[in-house]
Amino acid sequence: MMKASAQTHPNIALIKYWGRNPNFPSHLNIPTNDSISMTKETIHSDKSNIELLTHTTIEFSEHYEDDEGFLKTETDLIPFNEFQMKRIKKVVDPLRRLAQTVLKFKMVSENKFPTAAGLASSASAFAALTTATSKALKLDLSQKVLSTFARLGSGSAARSIHGGFVRWHKGDSHETSYAEQICACNEFDIAAVIAVIDRGEKAVSSDVGINYAHSSAFNPVRITESQKQAKKITKAILNDDFPTVGKIAEKSCLYMHSVMMTSEPPLFYWNPGTLSVIKSIINKRKNEETEFYFTVDAGPNVHCFCRMEDLDLAHTMLRDMGIPERNLVRVRQAEQGSKVVEQHLF
Ligand code: PMV
């Protein structure tokens, strides 16, 4: 049977990826800078009803006349549209070529959290797809190689292959642009509360928005600074130096959003709620010497980083700002990014 399933956690970038290197074909998603992330899982608090996990099953068979893919929701199986299928095949086709098969596939994927809302659904989706496809095709690929194929679907997916803290080396070819773990889970004490400001789909997906990065005059500065930040933050992570990690992560986030806001067309992923949470985190730090730091991806939701023991404090601060309990998600590092599982979705 050529059928397999995988489960994968998303990741949150501390050093952001925002822009493809124009010297390489864009479908390779070779980035302009190294990026660093934490693979994250939900700490169960049944109030948010969000579990940061993607589950994907794929089967190759002569019974399928065409490639087909579906998003599983609580009530329906929604076929992926042409654009989404094209993106899925960016990962599946090269793996199918590697396995020397022309068999068609059926795949079903389920996100246990809002899709395309800035919670990194594409990272976990494409890493899960890569892991399941490689297993179904009986390809025995290392995690490093898996990360290169996941990158073809979505750059940040390269990082979700691994657990703990991960560095995606920008590289200068398909083979050398890969992600590797820099620190295993829990060697560095950090957790976060995500303030979900808006669960809706963002207007401009990161896959599209990222193409505008080069039009910002600030982009070259962001690229140069990101390389330096990646080096410094790696050292701070390995030294369990939380304030340094937090400060660098905030800088990287603000550099990325500066590029977004000054690109052509300009991209505003924040909304007023985003800014309120950011300001509260900064004020809390100033007034009470609490070690909270923020980051925001291509969406309005804010990650408030803290030490594991300060999770309750961070949660209370965000709740007291009026963010409903169901929109507060506590996360910690996930030990494994992507793994093969026995349960199939069909
Ligand atoms: O998920 P992608 O590859 O479309 O790009 C994601 C970019 C950010 O999430 C905004 C930053 C990052 O490095 O994850």
Side-chain angles (χ1 to χ4, degrees):
M1 189 170 73
M2 293 174 82
K3 183 173 187 175
S5 297
Q7 284 188 343
T8 304
H9 294 291
N11 65 77
I12 177 69
L14 286 86
I15 303 301
K16 306 291 188 187
Y17 151 59
W18 194 251
R20 304 183 180 103
N21 187 329
N23 298 327
F24 302 100
S26 73
H27 74 273
L28 288 181
N29 282 344
I30 308 277
T32 46
N33 61 275
D34 288 20
S35 54
I36 292 189
S37 61
M38 172 183 116
T39 304
K40 60 186 178 183
E41 68 180 12
T42 316
I43 302 171
H44 286 283
S45 74
D46 45 16
K47 287 178 186 149
S48 77
N49 203 14
I50 287 177
E51 199 187 346
L52 296 171
L53 194 67
T54 299
H55 188 164
T56 298
T57 300
I58 190 162
E59 180 179 41
F60 294 83
S61 162
E62 67 268 10
H63 298 310
Y64 301 127
E65 286 183 4
D66 236 326
D67 295 327
E68 46 187 50
F70 302 88
L71 180 69
K72 184 173 183 291
T73 68
E74 267 171 39
T75 47
D76 293 305
L77 265 189
I78 304 166
F80 285 118
N81 63 31
E82 208 183 310
F83 172 77
Q84 290 163 325
M85 283 306 289
K86 238 177 151 172
R87 212 166 157 195
I88 287 165
K89 286 195 224 176
K90 280 182 173 183
V91 170
V92 179
D93 281 346
L95 288 169
R96 202 160 30 186
R97 275 197 298 277
L98 200 63
Q100 300 183 329
T101 179
V102 289
L103 287 175
K104 302 288 184 194
F105 68 82
K106 174 179 173 181
M107 71 84 89
V108 174
S109 190
E110 181 182 28
N111 276 334
K112 300 191 188 252
F113 57 98
T115 304
L119 290 172
S121 56
S122 63
S124 51
F126 286 103
L129 177 67
T130 307
T131 304
T133 304
S134 147
K135 179 73 180 171
L137 293 173
K138 301 181 173 48
L139 293 165
D140 191 17
L141 304 179
S142 67
Q143 284 198 308
K144 174 177 163 181
V145 174
L146 284 176
S147 79
T148 63
F149 285 102
R151 191 195 69 239
L152 302 175
S154 156
S156 58
R159 300 185 307 238
S160 263
I161 292 292
H162 306 278
F165 277 84
V166 180
R167 181 173 187 145
W168 170 18
H169 301 277
K170 64 187 168 90
D172 56 10
S173 63
H174 171 64
E175 291 74 21
T176 56
S177 184
Y178 65 89
E180 70 177 348
Q181 191 181 64
I182 52 174
C183 174
C185 187
N186 297 332
E187 281 177 23
F188 171 51
D189 175 8
I190 187 171
V193 181
I194 309 174
V196 182
I197 307 289
D198 188 345
R199 290 186 183 222
E201 274 196 32
K202 48 198 173 197
V204 183
S205 76
S206 48
D207 192 51
V208 171
I210 222 162
N211 294 319
Y212 310 142
H214 70 274
S215 64
S216 163
F218 296 151
N219 196 40
V221 177
R222 194 199 75 82
I223 294 170
T224 314
E225 289 304 308
S226 296
Q227 285 310 110
K228 293 185 203 157
Q229 289 165 342
K231 204 169 163 189
K232 279 193 201 146
I233 209 170
T234 302
K235 203 167 148 209
I237 289 169
L238 295 173
N239 287 335
D240 196 32
D241 178 355
F242 185 65
T244 303
V245 170
K247 279 178 205 150
I248 298 173
E250 286 189 352
K251 271 274 157 0
S252 175
C253 162
L254 294 173
Y255 280 22
M256 178 179 78
H257 284 275
S258 304
V259 166
M260 288 165 161
M261 291 178 196
T262 51
S263 66
E264 188 51 49
L267 299 168
F268 297 95
Y269 285 109
W270 295 2
N271 65 25
T274 313
L275 196 55
S276 295
V277 173
I278 290 176
K279 283 183 157 181
S280 289
I281 291 172
I282 295 173
N283 282 339
K284 192 90 176 164
R285 198 159 71 216
K286 228 192 261 162
N287 301 335
E288 297 177 32
E289 294 182 355
T290 325
E291 287 183 298
F292 293 158
Y293 299 92
F294 66 84
T295 196
V296 185
D297 263 351
N301 305 323
V302 185
H303 281 64
C304 173
F305 289 118
C306 59
R307 289 290 203 179
M308 209 57 186
E309 63 177 15
D310 290 333
L311 263 173
D312 279 343
L313 268 179
H315 193 119
T316 308
M317 176 191 74
L318 296 166
R319 196 193 50 211
D320 290 352
M321 288 188 63
I323 299 171
E325 283 282 1
R326 63 181 189 87
N327 287 344
L328 293 175
V329 188
R330 292 168 174 234
V331 298
R332 63 178 168 218
Q333 299 163 57
E335 206 174 305
Q336 267 187 306
S338 196
K339 62 170 189 234
V340 171
V341 294
E342 296 303 321
Q343 310 97 283
H344 299 313
L345 291 176
F346 62 91

